[in-house]
Amino acid sequence: MRNMTANSYGFDTLAIHAGSDPDPRTGAVVPPIYQTSTYAQDAVGAPRLGYEYSRSANPTRDALQECLAAIEGGRRGLAFASGLAAEDTLLRAVCRPGDHVVIPGDAYGGTYRLFAKVLENWGLDWTAVPLDDLDQVRAAFRPGVTRMIWVETPTNPLLNIADIPALAGLAHEYDAMLVVDNTFASPYLQQPLALGADVVVHSTTKYLGGHSDVVGGALVTATDDLGDQIAFFQNAMGGVNGPFDAWLTLRGIKTLGVRMDRHCDNAERIVRYLTEHPAVASVLYPGLDTHPGHEVAAKQMQRFGGMVSFRAAGGPEQAIAVCNRTKLFVLAESLGGIESLIEHPGQMTHLSAAGSPLEVPADLVRLSVGIESVDDLLADLEQALGGD
């Protein structure tokens, strides 16, 4: 098998070829879907090529995992049934009851729910702080108890930016680890492991899959030892994705680079439009030079992504009305697909954070900008914001 690493090939080459050697039996250029639960063994204690049961290992999932590691510049990739399955496995693998984690003050609602409603009952403590304020992060640390800093950058849905190298330095100063959820940026736009992170998290449902047809999650580790540790829990806890889901995700990754270029192009046009619209009070996008995290984002991202949020000048009622009036922007949760989506985070993806310190503004609208003809998207926003 070819040695495909970020040092030897460009990103798009890795996305297309890593983990995807032609099938040695037939020459098929696309990895087969090994839709099997178990494998014939050559003798007792001698599984063929190490495969014995598909929870433990499956060739299609292995192909995806190899590709994930290559495009993130990591040592080990691990694929899961969902992003939250990946998060839960990671936290139980490296933390113990009584440990403490620092999380973003505006973390994704599902991540907040995992910490507050599931792992807190297991004995894992957590503190939410604005990660763009290093003094507050340091103040939240409990030396010898804090096990990790959990980072989203950009965050969901407020699109705040965290300084990955600075937070890595702070975490490692206290013998903790830095975990970065790279879902919004994708590895095409941001490489957290190269910036000092220990683990990268993805909901592969989003930009990596890219077509709104598969649910999955992933972890990529900076070291083999950490990868091996998590792999044990991946098998023991069993939250793996099936071979067809792995195949769909691997297929999606092959076009990630070209899709992200269009997502970014379209988002930048839409941001320029929204900043000048009287029905929009403010636009949240790290590509704007007025964004408080713009300079940090410009240093650690190639471009600024396809996610855009804005606050409606007419308040929560207008925000909901705009969501209900779009025709091309589909009113739906999730993000990162080729089609454009719109949602009201307060009542949709972040409802689980309602009433908590992580509650999002009620006048907030989130856009996942797709790859359609941008003039059509602009026309749709014009009629939705104008109320025609």
Side-chain angles (χ1 to χ4, degrees):
M1 189 166 286
R2 289 165 292 190
N3 179 25
M4 304 209 71
T5 68
N7 295 326
S8 56
Y9 292 96
F11 183 90
D12 290 316
T13 302
L14 293 173
I16 293 168
H17 292 287
S20 295
D21 281 341
D23 178 53
R25 179 170 175 264
T26 65
V29 298
V30 175
I33 303 171
Y34 285 89
Q35 194 69 46
T36 185
S37 61
T38 192
Y39 306 82
Q41 301 190 23
D42 293 329
V44 173
R48 191 175 306 170
L49 300 177
Y51 293 106
E52 53 188 10
Y53 189 62
S54 274
R55 171 174 41 79
S56 304
N58 176 279
T60 313
R61 188 167 73 244
D62 285 349
L64 171 60
Q65 293 181 152
E66 182 179 339
C67 186
L68 290 166
I71 61 175
E72 277 289 5
R75 297 296 302 172
R76 186 77 181 266
L78 300 157
F80 295 83
S82 69
L84 284 168
E87 294 184 12
D88 186 42
T89 303
L90 169 63
L91 288 162
R92 294 182 193 270
V94 302
C95 297
R96 298 292 178 269
D99 285 348
H100 173 253
V101 179
V102 176
I103 71 170
D106 57 340
Y108 163 57
T111 298
Y112 163 75
R113 182 177 56 224
L114 178 64
F115 276 100
K117 306 297 184 182
V118 178
L119 291 171
E120 187 173 296
N121 295 331
W122 181 65
L124 185 65
D125 200 5
W126 56 277
T127 302
V129 299
L131 297 186
D132 56 356
D133 187 331
L134 291 178
D135 290 336
Q136 289 199 51
V137 177
R138 186 179 291 275
F141 250 82
R142 305 174 191 171
V145 178
T146 300
R147 184 72 177 115
M148 69 173 61
I149 304 175
W150 188 282
V151 175
E152 295 175 22
T153 184
T155 60
N156 179 9
L158 298 178
L159 295 168
N160 286 318
I161 299 296
D163 188 327
I164 296 173
L167 289 168
L170 179 57
H172 298 157
E173 177 184 338
Y174 289 96
D175 293 324
M177 65 174 55
L178 184 73
V179 175
V180 177
D181 185 334
N182 202 29
T183 298
F184 264 35
S186 87
Y188 183 69
L189 300 181
Q190 183 170 264
Q191 298 274 317
L193 297 178
L195 297 170
D198 299 287
V199 185
V200 168
V201 178
H202 280 283
S203 170
T204 59
T205 310
K206 313 306 194 297
Y207 285 110
L208 292 176
H211 293 77
S212 302
D213 57 7
V214 61
V215 173
L219 302 172
V220 182
T221 65
T223 66
D224 289 315
D225 286 347
L226 183 56
D228 291 344
Q229 179 183 351
I230 299 170
F232 174 84
F233 280 79
Q234 179 194 38
N235 180 50
M237 294 172 67
V240 298
N241 59 359
F244 186 52
D245 290 346
W247 185 88
L248 284 171
T249 305
L250 187 62
R251 182 195 64 170
I253 289 172
K254 293 178 188 299
T255 60
L256 177 62
V258 292
R259 287 188 285 107
M260 291 308 301
D261 284 337
R262 176 64 73 85
H263 285 300
C264 292
D265 289 344
N266 284 359
E268 289 165 8
R269 284 280 304 278
I270 286 171
V271 165
R272 288 198 296 270
Y273 165 80
L274 291 174
T275 56
E276 298 174 356
H277 200 289
V280 175
S282 62
V283 179
L284 312 179
Y285 187 68
L288 291 169
D289 58 12
T290 55
H291 188 287
H294 175 71
E295 290 186 8
V296 172
K299 291 178 182 178
Q300 64 190 27
M301 299 178 71
Q302 299 298 318
R303 293 180 72 181
F304 302 102
M307 300 302 299
V308 180
S309 293
F310 66 89
R311 301 185 70 170
E317 290 186 2
Q318 186 206 15
I320 293 171
V322 170
C323 291
N324 287 334
R325 281 198 293 255
T326 58
K327 298 174 181 177
L328 273 181
F329 280 86
V330 180
L331 180 63
E333 298 188 4
S334 197
L335 58 103
I338 54 175
E339 64 286 302
S340 293
L341 305 180
I342 189 169
E343 69 135 356
H344 184 263
Q347 294 191 29
M348 295 174 70
T349 53
H350 288 69
L351 184 61
S352 61
S356 79
L358 280 72
E359 183 174 11
V360 299
D363 59 0
L364 189 73
V365 175
R366 191 191 75 180
L367 305 177
S368 174
V369 180
I371 66 172
E372 302 95 336
S373 299
V374 70
D375 289 340
D376 295 330
L377 297 176
L378 291 169
D380 191 32
L381 289 172
E382 177 66 22
Q383 65 83 22
L385 287 165
D388 296 336

